[in-house]
Amino acid sequence: MASSSSLTLSQAVFSPSLPRHGSSSSSSPSLSFSTFSGLKSTHFTSSHRRILPSTTVTKQQFTVRASAAVETLEKTDAAIVEKSVNTIRFLAIDAVEKANSGHPGLPMGCAPMGHILYDEVMKYNPKNPYWFNRDRFVLSAGHGCMLQYALLHLAGYDSVQEDDLKSFRQWGSRIPGHPENFETPGVEVTTGPLGQGIANAVGLAVAEKHLAARFNKPDAEIVDHYTYVILGDGCQMEGISNEVCSLAGHWGLGKLIAFYDDNHISIDGDTEIAFTEDVSARFESLGWHVIWVKNGNTGYDEIRAAIKEAKAVKDKPTMIKVTTTIGFGSPNKANSYSVHGSALGAKEVEATRNNLGWPYEPFHVPEDVKSHWSRHTPEGAALETEWNAKFAEYEKKYAEEAADLKSIITGELPAGWEKALPTYTPESPADATRNLSQQNLNALAKVLPGFLGGSADLASSNMTLLKMFGDFQKNTPEERNLRFGVREHGMGAICNGIALHSLGLIPYCATFFVFTDYMRGAMRISALSEAGVIYVMTHDSIGLGEDGPTHQPIEHLASFRAMPNILMFRPADGNETAGAYKVAVLKRKTPSILALSRQKLPQLAGTSIEGAAKGGYIVSDNSSGNKPDVILIGTGSELEIAVKAAEELKKEGKTVRVVSFVCWELYDEQSAEYKESVLPSSVTARVSIEAGSTFGWQKFVGDKGKAIGIDGFGASAPADKIYKEFGITAEAVVAAAKQVS
Amino acid sequence: MASSSSLTLSQAVFSPSLPRHGSSSSSSPSLSFSTFSGLKSTHFTSSHRRILPSTTVTKQQFTVRASAAVETLEKTDAAIVEKSVNTIRFLAIDAVEKANSGHPGLPMGCAPMGHILYDEVMKYNPKNPYWFNRDRFVLSAGHGCMLQYALLHLAGYDSVQEDDLKSFRQWGSRIPGHPENFETPGVEVTTGPLGQGIANAVGLAVAEKHLAARFNKPDAEIVDHYTYVILGDGCQMEGISNEVCSLAGHWGLGKLIAFYDDNHISIDGDTEIAFTEDVSARFESLGWHVIWVKNGNTGYDEIRAAIKEAKAVKDKPTMIKVTTTIGFGSPNKANSYSVHGSALGAKEVEATRNNLGWPYEPFHVPEDVKSHWSRHTPEGAALETEWNAKFAEYEKKYAEEAADLKSIITGELPAGWEKALPTYTPESPADATRNLSQQNLNALAKVLPGFLGGSADLASSNMTLLKMFGDFQKNTPEERNLRFGVREHGMGAICNGIALHSLGLIPYCATFFVFTDYMRGAMRISALSEAGVIYVMTHDSIGLGEDGPTHQPIEHLASFRAMPNILMFRPADGNETAGAYKVAVLKRKTPSILALSRQKLPQLAGTSIEGAAKGGYIVSDNSSGNKPDVILIGTGSELEIAVKAAEELKKEGKTVRVVSFVCWELYDEQSAEYKESVLPSSVTARVSIEAGSTFGWQKFVGDKGKAIGIDGFGASAPADKIYKEFGITAEAVVAAAKQVS
């Protein structure tokens, strides 16, 4: 049933975000795929193929575009291009002016390249922004978002209508102050924090290259799209962009095409004051093909030729340096920082209208421009329809591959996948949770077709190698072990791009837990943009020993527990590690962090996957009536210590409950009844132990309880010695329990 | 009194750290300079000038070295060099072997360049590691710390004696698992997290270039040293290193010489798997002079020639790519990742001893090697003595400059400096704390000779320009406004280097508060390495408005409150901003973060510099007997809301105390009595309000109180609207107060 299977694929869309303002937007651990509402009226089944567009584009031209994946760069009448470009400029000017907030400079300068991309080059279906095989576009210079909103509006995306443009940057608007994938269908990733976008784009291009290598056949190029990105001077200065561009060159991402908006202006003025390196030479050193378009303001043919050249270079990513004038068209503010981040002001808007010969009212799109762009709706629908038919053919010939690809596209996990998770008994050998994690990773990779990932040059310490796969490299992109090198920040942001490429791509990435400090920018974007990346963070405490305080996390657990929409797991043993992975895989719109031990830990009695999924649960208890003398709470490697302390206290006749708090956020989601069953309000004698900051623990131990932890930096010595010297011991727990009970 | 003034300068040392394990090492807000204990017996007053060394070095040679600042690279007998280099290798091998933990590979490969630097090139005084005009050395590849420890040992530093080498990586050792400036005199900065060291080195070189430009005279080159750094492939891959090397090239830091240990091996194996860029070409694109030493294993003369060439290039930093063999000398493990991070093992140690012809016991330094290195003690003392005399001359001729430089060297702040801080009354105009911050910055720069800083391309938003100074640039290095470009991580780490260059250099740096996520790696090193950087973080909440959730901090206050040894300030108005700056300037061994508003705030009644310095204090209260009906706690922009809510509640007859919690860490340091006077334990009706995560607030509001905050992401809209929609209002406080009281 080709058409119905195509339909399923087309409907595989990211569910729009629930209202998320003001509260943590954690979702329940199950997947939901809502159908994009705009799909019904515009979706083309295979019976509707070859619908003619209503514009002046001829059937023949159109067929070429649809079937040859826009490989020819067609020239359109120069006048309409110019008019279209000015429409983009004034939509941006007008929206920023109405909001009295925003960044008009970039859209005014980048309108020509934006126009060429969306009108002449990219393949997309405006009525289904989630069509799988679309070209991806990322505005890494996210502050210039009005450029993208204007383009989405002209291209026919339902998400950006005229009323939306008028509500730019207002409460409840669908077009916020920076591009947000979870607010605006058609926006692929969330940008604004500079450098994230180019990194996401590398991730999108990695996903395409990987899937193309795995699924394309000589007779069926089923995965085939480009990733385009516009980045500015700010992105270029950020270290993360050098990290990811070095990897893009190394991996030979030939279908990644980056436009560098070289306008010589940043917020503080001319880039001369802080940025005088030779960017083109740097990119060449990183293994990129580099082209310079000297006149980005009006050199349309130069831009077109550059894209054509970029596409011809298949073994390298291309950077097209496009020299533009920021705020092009503004007679008094162009080429100055004053046009970067503020509305032009009524007077200068007027002057710019005069200067560019723009007689229209604010937000007006001239009819001929509208008409010119209107072909993208039928054209995009036809592109998708054609691809659907191709996929139906593919499915017939390559059933197994098609099933895997479908799972990756839709995010529907293979039935029974969770049975692959290992379980443990107290008799199972003691092991470090980093090793137990590796057992889980390898088990999951066998059953989840979209599971892939790697480490920032610590694979053998983080224990993250998938043993049945080789390395994803330039010439082996079908493999699933990613080698990120020592580039944590880039790694996290690349994984965001991979996760947001397809619902069923589940990327994990790894480093030492303390080095989350290097990639926190990307991790926050995972949380905000609902990218379900799994962060495998080993060496999670002073328990790593001799490497010392530079490598020993202290405040990191607390710092992530405070971050919205991210799950901070600290499993104590094998069952809890498996439980953490189970939730992490299910939560496709919430990233997860697993803090894992370097040192061996016993498999504890009473731990379970189900318990871990509740975040906090009772591991052992010798009391009755929900009224133990004391409650001992532990996480990770310290749960063992809590268990030992409980044994001591029990010997002395106390009733003791031991609670594992593997994930605070999941516990917070449980019902009041459940919480009362774990931490009864009448029992105020509570002691927590965790080899990290005590910050935040008062929430669970209460005014009368005691939190044992480490509120200074660690030390360089063997782990056992540090634990003893820092008082992270069963003796300390016993003493505290006696104090509080 | 030339000699006594010199003495004061020589004694200007960083006080060794107090024991800091297991507790937050916050010091009281006053400066203390302890004298380096090794100084007494070895310090040379001017009467001891020209002491002859006891080694074979002739007087003439020695005089050349001391007076010409080691401009000639002397060759020593090749055999003793080789033996010395092998001594370094085996000290590293033996220490790692004894600890059964550590990284022998780098020291074995880098021993030749290490030897040449410490024995032939660098000027330093081993008996006063804090001598101001010493050359600085940074091991950016900090895991190879045994290289530096071995060199310090041979050079005669008291901090690394034979017993220390034998206690490597053990509890209480003076030589921890990575180089830590606060543990090991002779180590300049704290490295290990990759990329930090090269960034610190850029900061050290900035400090030198700035001070030299400000204080050198045609007849007195009083500031004149090089900064050397060794970095590896790992450092090169990190984005931060590209950020800072781009700046180093831009600034033309001619006295920065970086050795790139090009050994082709990282933890995961050959660098081919993730790092194939052309590093030399990249550095050329960044404006560096690049030299390639092809044989770093035995090419001593090549290394010497490269250094000579590097010194001759005065307008560019130099990168010397030195191709080495990791684990050089180990017959079975050299040139493999297995020698990177583990002890060789007894068998391979034996094989290496045989291979390199090393018949000695572990930790043995042959007598001729000892004798060869022994000249550095008298030579270093003479260098310092000579400089002291030079400074005495300088002081006579240039009294004003000498006073400023002395303050910068010793960290002794000019008397009465704090009187420059502005104060405000409730009648003072309402203003954003970012603007009030600028008043403070400009006031401080006038009275503090070592005060300098800048922003990551947001000077006009962060309000950080020092109006009486120009920009620190290649040709105007005497100026004090640093233009970091959009390079937050590099900025923080450069400031660490500046702060650790001289006790009286007080660097500040600025960006939006949310972008601390980009530089958290450097900020944690500020805290750990006791670098008193001032972080000026504006746009501190949803109050920034339209830029939306990518730009709105939520969890950031909590995340820094949980970090050891860093002060997280959130001042509410002008007086509190001044109070925060007062403490931040005084706390030279604890970095401070100021979270500042974009929006205008009123000057509140009851706020004060003194109150702010206590961290938490009563702003208003209409109760008596320390028993208000309810306590309202606010920080920053929400203190105003708490005050408004109090007014409402008072109208209804309640007694209400308003408490400002401008800095939790300072409050935690106060006496129990003081805390009881602010938050009496009998008053459990407490409400806190802060436009950020409620995480951690339970500590102050208690089990029965209520914390008002934001536990999800923000939104893009005008600030007033967001505050209202998120319930950060006086009405919400009033309602909560009624609930809890």
Side-chain angles (χ1 to χ4, degrees):
Chain A
M1 295 295 293
S3 67
S4 75
S5 98
S6 311
L7 188 68
T8 308
L9 282 172
S10 299
Q11 287 178 330
V13 297
F14 288 71
S15 59
S17 289
L18 297 172
R20 30 188 297 170
H21 300 149
S23 67
S24 174
S25 67
S26 47
S27 52
S28 68
S30 67
L31 287 169
S32 74
F33 304 123
S34 66
T35 305
F36 179 56
S37 61
L39 201 65
K40 282 167 203 147
S41 60
T42 56
H43 180 72
F44 288 78
T45 64
S46 55
S47 63
H48 289 90
R49 288 187 64 198
R50 305 286 176 210
I51 289 261
L52 280 184
S54 59
T55 65
T56 54
V57 180
T58 67
K59 181 176 177 179
Q60 192 186 2
Q61 280 177 307
F62 170 63
T63 308
V64 168
R65 282 179 55 83
S67 61
V70 206
E71 291 215 332
T72 57
L73 301 171
E74 295 152 36
K75 282 195 210 174
T76 326
D77 170 58
I80 194 72
V81 170
E82 188 71 27
K83 200 163 178 184
S84 166
V85 166
N86 279 334
T87 305
I88 296 163
R89 288 191 177 117
F90 282 97
L91 287 177
I93 290 169
D94 295 339
V96 171
E97 198 65 21
K98 182 159 193 303
N100 193 24
S101 173
H103 302 75
L106 182 140
M108 293 165 77
C110 291
M113 63 182 109
H115 170 88
I116 290 172
L117 278 174
Y118 270 80
D119 191 51
E120 300 177 14
V121 173
M122 281 168 58
K123 60 174 189 190
Y124 56 86
N125 178 4
K127 300 306 175 193
N128 179 10
Y130 306 108
W131 170 44
F132 168 72
N133 203 39
R134 69 194 180 275
D135 286 332
R136 266 66 168 180
F137 172 77
V138 175
L139 184 65
S140 192
H143 51 273
C145 54
M146 268 312 306
L147 172 71
Q148 191 170 9
Y149 298 148
L151 290 164
L152 293 175
H153 177 62
L154 292 178
Y157 284 78
D158 293 329
S159 48
V160 189
Q161 314 223 3
E162 187 176 330
D163 282 350
D164 297 306
L165 294 171
K166 290 177 178 166
S167 73
F168 177 53
R169 292 189 153 218
Q170 304 309 302
W171 182 262
S173 168
R174 291 196 291 184
I175 57 168
H178 288 85
E180 296 169 357
N181 61 303
F182 53 92
E183 293 285 3
T184 316
V187 169
E188 302 288 350
V189 297
T190 293
T191 59
L194 293 173
Q196 298 294 330
I198 175 68
N200 295 163
V202 171
L204 292 168
V206 163
E208 196 273 346
K209 184 166 173 133
H210 172 69
L211 295 177
R214 264 174 80 182
F215 295 106
N216 285 351
K217 302 287 176 184
D219 62 345
E221 207 170 10
I222 201 74
V223 183
D224 172 30
H225 72 77
Y226 284 87
T227 301
Y228 300 97
V229 56
I230 294 180
L231 69 166
D233 292 303
C235 290
Q236 293 285 24
M237 287 188 252
E238 291 285 6
I240 185 176
S241 69
N242 194 69
E243 291 181 4
V244 299
C245 290
S246 178
L247 277 173
H250 172 74
W251 286 329
L253 301 178
K255 286 163 91 174
L256 174 64
I257 300 179
F259 296 81
Y260 162 35
D261 175 29
D262 168 49
N263 64 29
H264 280 284
I265 297 292
S266 67
I267 293 177
D268 278 352
D270 196 292
T271 52
E272 278 295 314
I273 67 172
F275 188 51
T276 50
E277 64 177 59
D278 181 341
V279 178
S280 295
R282 176 159 63 86
F283 271 73
E284 276 166 7
S285 81
L286 300 179
W288 286 55
H289 181 65
V290 176
I291 305 168
W292 184 13
V293 171
K294 289 180 187 165
N295 173 12
N297 295 326
T298 57
Y300 299 102
D301 284 340
E302 281 182 70
I303 297 172
R304 292 183 181 110
I307 296 171
K308 194 171 174 186
E309 180 181 331
K311 288 190 170 186
V313 176
K314 297 193 186 300
D315 61 341
K316 287 178 175 188
T318 295
M319 183 189 82
I320 306 173
K321 170 171 144 173
V322 188
T323 298
T324 68
T325 303
I326 191 170
F328 179 87
S330 162
N332 303 302
K333 295 192 167 180
N335 201 27
S336 87
Y337 70 90
S338 66
V339 77
H340 168 86
S342 315
L344 292 179
K347 208 174 139 190
E348 189 64 14
V349 170
E350 196 51 39
T352 308
R353 277 189 147 71
N354 291 336
N355 189 40
L356 292 178
W358 198 252
Y360 308 105
E361 289 301 296
F363 299 103
H364 182 75
V365 179
E367 281 308 318
D368 47 354
V369 173
K370 256 188 208 161
S371 164
H372 175 75
W373 281 81
S374 66
R375 76 187 188 286
H376 290 288
T377 293
E379 206 170 294
L383 282 166
E384 178 169 348
T385 303
E386 188 185 11
W387 184 84
N388 285 344
K390 202 177 195 177
F391 187 83
E393 283 297 306
Y394 183 87
E395 203 170 21
K396 277 185 216 154
K397 288 194 205 160
Y398 310 105
E400 206 176 316
E401 289 91 334
D404 277 1
L405 180 56
K406 214 148 99 177
S407 167
I408 287 170
I409 295 174
T410 64
E412 231 172 294
L413 305 179
W417 68 271
E418 69 278 3
K419 294 193 191 101
L421 292 167
T423 54
Y424 304 85
T425 69
E427 287 70 44
S428 305
D431 210 344
T433 48
R434 61 172 170 156
N435 293 330
L436 300 162
S437 162
Q438 187 167 43
Q439 294 171 9
N440 279 273
L441 291 171
N442 278 273
L444 289 170
K446 275 184 198 135
V447 293
L448 299 176
F451 201 75
L452 77 172
S455 160
D457 194 47
L458 288 169
S460 54
S461 293
N462 301 139
M463 307 305 291
T464 47
L465 273 190
L466 302 179
K467 293 171 185 173
M468 69 290 263
F469 296 113
D471 286 358
F472 173 92
Q473 292 288 0
K474 187 172 184 171
N475 297 318
T476 51
E478 69 281 8
E479 300 291 353
R480 297 206 223 163
N481 284 302
L482 290 157
R483 300 290 196 165
F484 291 103
V486 192
R487 303 179 181 97
E488 297 83 6
H489 201 180
M491 172 174 74
I494 287 171
C495 286
N496 285 339
I498 295 173
L500 295 175
H501 184 279
S502 294
L503 274 171
L505 285 179
I506 307 179
Y508 67 89
C509 66
T511 183
F512 290 163
F513 189 32
V514 80
F515 297 134
T516 51
D517 285 345
Y518 276 52
M519 61 171 165
R520 203 171 162 93
M523 295 175 83
R524 190 175 205 257
I525 297 287
S526 302
L528 178 63
S529 68
E530 304 178 347
V533 176
I534 301 177
Y535 290 94
V536 181
M537 302 289 110
T538 72
H539 296 59
D540 71 339
S541 76
I542 52 164
L544 64 86
E546 290 88 345
D547 275 346
T550 52
H551 285 54
Q552 291 164 350
I554 295 291
E555 70 280 16
H556 299 75
L557 291 165
S559 80
F560 286 109
R561 287 171 181 153
M563 186 182 279
N565 197 39
I566 195 163
L567 298 174
M568 179 69 249
F569 289 95
R570 191 157 184 260
D573 66 0
N575 289 331
E576 289 199 352
T577 303
Y581 273 109
K582 184 177 176 185
V583 178
V585 167
L586 285 170
K587 290 263 193 181
R588 290 294 79 233
K589 304 186 111 190
T590 301
S592 296
I593 310 168
L594 278 72
L596 301 163
S597 77
R598 173 178 188 252
Q599 71 272 33
K600 268 192 188 176
L601 304 174
Q603 309 294 343
L604 298 168
T607 60
S608 68
I609 289 179
E610 298 68 36
K614 291 201 171 87
Y617 67 107
I618 299 170
V619 171
S620 72
D621 194 352
N622 66 337
S623 74
S624 59
N626 200 24
K627 200 148 181 24
D629 293 333
V630 63
I631 300 175
L632 307 182
I633 309 173
T635 79
S637 42
E638 287 73 64
L639 187 60
E640 177 194 3
I641 295 177
V643 167
K644 278 188 188 157
E647 282 161 16
E648 283 307 307
L649 289 163
K650 285 176 191 171
K651 278 184 205 160
E652 300 179 22
K654 298 258 190 192
T655 58
V656 188
R657 173 176 297 178
V658 177
V659 171
S660 172
F661 253 67
V662 59
C663 178
W664 292 23
E665 298 87 349
L666 290 177
Y667 181 78
D668 282 344
E669 286 177 11
Q670 305 304 315
S671 68
E673 292 71 22
Y674 178 78
K675 289 182 194 167
E676 182 66 19
S677 78
V678 177
L679 296 181
S681 44
S682 62
V683 182
T684 58
R686 305 176 185 178
V687 176
S688 70
I689 182 157
E690 184 171 75
S693 169
T694 59
F695 193 89
W697 270 106
Q698 190 134 1
K699 177 176 173 182
F700 296 119
V701 299
D703 291 354
K704 294 181 181 160
K706 195 169 155 68
I708 297 175
I710 305 165
D711 290 318
F713 288 109
S716 169
D720 290 350
K721 179 72 176 167
I722 312 178
Y723 265 81
K724 208 181 142 195
E725 294 285 345
F726 280 50
I728 310 297
T729 60
E731 294 71 42
V733 176
V734 168
K738 288 177 181 171
Q739 254 181 37
V740 301
S741 62
Chain B
M1 295 295 292
S3 68
S4 74
S5 99
S6 309
L7 188 66
T8 308
L9 282 173
S10 299
Q11 286 178 331
V13 296
F14 288 70
S15 59
S17 289
L18 298 171
R20 30 188 297 170
H21 298 150
S23 68
S24 174
S25 67
S26 48
S27 51
S28 67
S30 66
L31 286 170
S32 73
F33 304 125
S34 67
T35 305
F36 180 57
S37 60
L39 201 66
K40 283 166 200 148
S41 59
T42 57
H43 181 74
F44 288 78
T45 64
S46 56
S47 62
H48 290 90
R49 287 186 65 196
R50 305 284 176 212
I51 288 261
L52 279 185
S54 59
T55 66
T56 54
V57 180
T58 67
K59 181 176 177 178
Q60 192 184 3
Q61 279 176 308
F62 169 63
T63 307
V64 168
R65 281 179 56 83
S67 61
V70 206
E71 291 215 334
T72 56
L73 300 171
E74 294 152 36
K75 281 195 212 176
T76 326
D77 171 57
I80 194 70
V81 169
E82 189 71 27
K83 200 163 176 181
S84 167
V85 166
N86 279 334
T87 304
I88 296 162
R89 289 190 178 118
F90 281 97
L91 287 177
I93 290 169
D94 295 339
V96 172
E97 199 64 20
K98 183 159 193 303
N100 192 25
S101 173
H103 303 75
L106 183 141
M108 294 165 77
C110 291
M113 62 182 111
H115 170 88
I116 290 172
L117 277 174
Y118 270 81
D119 192 52
E120 301 177 12
V121 173
M122 281 169 57
K123 60 175 189 189
Y124 57 86
N125 179 5
K127 299 306 176 195
N128 179 10
Y130 305 107
W131 170 45
F132 168 71
N133 205 39
R134 70 193 179 277
D135 286 333
R136 265 65 169 182
F137 172 77
V138 175
L139 184 64
S140 191
H143 51 273
C145 54
M146 268 312 307
L147 172 71
Q148 191 169 8
Y149 299 148
L151 290 164
L152 293 175
H153 177 63
L154 292 177
Y157 284 77
D158 294 329
S159 48
V160 189
Q161 314 224 2
E162 189 176 328
D163 282 351
D164 297 305
L165 295 171
K166 290 177 178 168
S167 73
F168 177 52
R169 292 191 154 217
Q170 304 308 302
W171 182 261
S173 168
R174 290 196 292 184
I175 58 168
H178 288 84
E180 296 169 357
N181 59 304
F182 53 93
E183 293 286 3
T184 317
V187 170
E188 302 287 349
V189 296
T190 293
T191 58
L194 293 172
Q196 299 293 330
I198 175 68
N200 295 162
V202 171
L204 293 168
V206 163
E208 196 273 347
K209 184 166 174 132
H210 172 68
L211 295 177
R214 263 174 79 181
F215 294 107
N216 285 351
K217 303 286 178 186
D219 63 343
E221 208 169 10
I222 201 73
V223 184
D224 171 31
H225 71 77
Y226 284 86
T227 301
Y228 300 98
V229 56
I230 296 179
L231 70 165
D233 291 303
C235 289
Q236 293 285 24
M237 287 188 252
E238 291 286 6
I240 184 176
S241 69
N242 193 70
E243 291 181 3
V244 299
C245 290
S246 178
L247 278 172
H250 173 74
W251 286 329
L253 301 178
K255 287 162 91 174
L256 174 64
I257 300 178
F259 295 81
Y260 162 35
D261 175 29
D262 168 51
N263 64 30
H264 280 284
I265 297 293
S266 67
I267 293 177
D268 278 352
D270 195 293
T271 52
E272 278 295 314
I273 66 172
F275 188 51
T276 50
E277 63 177 60
D278 181 341
V279 178
S280 295
R282 176 160 62 86
F283 271 73
E284 277 166 7
S285 80
L286 300 178
W288 286 55
H289 182 65
V290 176
I291 305 168
W292 184 14
V293 171
K294 289 180 187 166
N295 173 12
N297 295 326
T298 58
Y300 298 102
D301 284 340
E302 281 182 71
I303 297 171
R304 292 183 181 108
I307 296 171
K308 194 171 175 185
E309 180 181 330
K311 287 191 171 186
V313 176
K314 298 194 185 299
D315 61 341
K316 287 178 174 189
T318 295
M319 183 189 82
I320 306 173
K321 170 172 144 173
V322 188
T323 299
T324 68
T325 302
I326 191 170
F328 179 86
S330 162
N332 303 302
K333 295 193 167 180
N335 201 28
S336 87
Y337 70 90
S338 66
V339 77
H340 167 86
S342 315
L344 292 179
K347 209 174 137 189
E348 188 64 14
V349 169
E350 195 52 39
T352 308
R353 278 189 146 70
N354 290 336
N355 188 39
L356 291 178
W358 199 252
Y360 308 105
E361 289 300 296
F363 299 102
H364 182 75
V365 178
E367 281 308 318
D368 47 354
V369 173
K370 257 188 208 160
S371 163
H372 175 76
W373 280 82
S374 66
R375 77 186 188 286
H376 289 289
T377 293
E379 206 170 293
L383 282 166
E384 178 169 349
T385 303
E386 189 184 10
W387 184 84
N388 284 346
K390 202 176 195 177
F391 187 83
E393 282 299 304
Y394 183 87
E395 203 170 21
K396 276 185 216 152
K397 286 195 206 160
Y398 309 104
E400 205 176 315
E401 290 92 333
D404 277 1
L405 180 56
K406 214 149 99 178
S407 167
I408 287 170
I409 295 173
T410 63
E412 231 172 295
L413 305 179
W417 68 272
E418 69 278 2
K419 293 191 193 106
L421 292 168
T423 54
Y424 304 84
T425 69
E427 288 69 43
S428 306
D431 209 344
T433 48
R434 61 172 169 156
N435 293 330
L436 299 162
S437 162
Q438 186 168 42
Q439 294 171 9
N440 279 274
L441 291 171
N442 278 274
L444 289 170
K446 275 185 199 134
V447 293
L448 299 175
F451 201 75
L452 77 172
S455 161
D457 194 46
L458 288 169
S460 53
S461 293
N462 302 140
M463 306 305 291
T464 47
L465 273 189
L466 302 178
K467 293 171 185 173
M468 70 290 265
F469 296 113
D471 285 357
F472 173 92
Q473 292 287 2
K474 187 172 184 171
N475 297 319
T476 52
E478 69 281 9
E479 300 291 352
R480 297 206 224 163
N481 285 302
L482 291 157
R483 301 288 196 167
F484 291 103
V486 192
R487 302 179 181 97
E488 297 83 6
H489 200 179
M491 173 173 74
I494 287 172
C495 285
N496 285 339
I498 295 173
L500 294 175
H501 183 279
S502 293
L503 274 171
L505 285 179
I506 306 179
Y508 66 90
C509 66
T511 183
F512 291 164
F513 189 32
V514 79
F515 298 134
T516 50
D517 285 345
Y518 276 52
M519 62 171 166
R520 203 170 162 94
M523 295 174 83
R524 191 175 203 256
I525 297 288
S526 302
L528 178 63
S529 68
E530 304 178 347
V533 176
I534 301 177
Y535 290 93
V536 181
M537 302 289 110
T538 71
H539 296 59
D540 72 339
S541 76
I542 52 164
L544 64 86
E546 290 88 345
D547 275 346
T550 52
H551 284 54
Q552 292 163 349
I554 294 291
E555 69 280 16
H556 299 75
L557 291 165
S559 80
F560 287 109
R561 287 171 182 155
M563 186 182 279
N565 196 39
I566 195 162
L567 298 174
M568 179 68 250
F569 289 95
R570 190 156 185 261
D573 65 1
N575 288 331
E576 290 198 353
T577 304
Y581 272 109
K582 183 176 177 187
V583 178
V585 166
L586 285 170
K587 289 263 193 181
R588 290 294 79 234
K589 304 185 111 191
T590 300
S592 296
I593 310 168
L594 278 71
L596 302 164
S597 76
R598 172 177 189 252
Q599 71 272 33
K600 268 192 188 177
L601 304 174
Q603 309 294 343
L604 297 168
T607 60
S608 68
I609 290 179
E610 298 69 35
K614 291 202 171 87
Y617 67 107
I618 299 170
V619 171
S620 73
D621 194 352
N622 67 336
S623 74
S624 59
N626 200 24
K627 200 151 180 23
D629 294 334
V630 63
I631 299 175
L632 307 182
I633 308 173
T635 78
S637 42
E638 288 72 63
L639 188 60
E640 176 195 3
I641 296 176
V643 167
K644 278 187 188 157
E647 282 161 17
E648 283 306 307
L649 289 163
K650 285 176 191 169
K651 278 185 205 159
E652 299 180 22
K654 298 259 188 190
T655 58
V656 188
R657 173 176 296 177
V658 176
V659 171
S660 173
F661 254 68
V662 59
C663 178
W664 292 23
E665 298 87 349
L666 291 177
Y667 180 78
D668 282 345
E669 285 177 11
Q670 305 304 315
S671 68
E673 291 71 22
Y674 178 77
K675 288 182 195 167
E676 182 65 19
S677 79
V678 177
L679 296 181
S681 45
S682 63
V683 182
T684 58
R686 304 176 186 177
V687 177
S688 69
I689 182 158
E690 184 171 75
S693 170
T694 60
F695 193 88
W697 270 106
Q698 190 134 2
K699 177 175 173 182
F700 296 119
V701 299
D703 291 354
K704 295 181 182 160
K706 195 169 156 64
I708 297 175
I710 306 166
D711 290 318
F713 288 108
S716 169
D720 290 351
K721 179 72 177 167
I722 312 179
Y723 264 80
K724 207 180 143 197
E725 293 285 345
F726 280 50
I728 309 298
T729 60
E731 294 71 42
V733 177
V734 168
K738 288 178 182 172
Q739 254 180 37
V740 300
S741 62

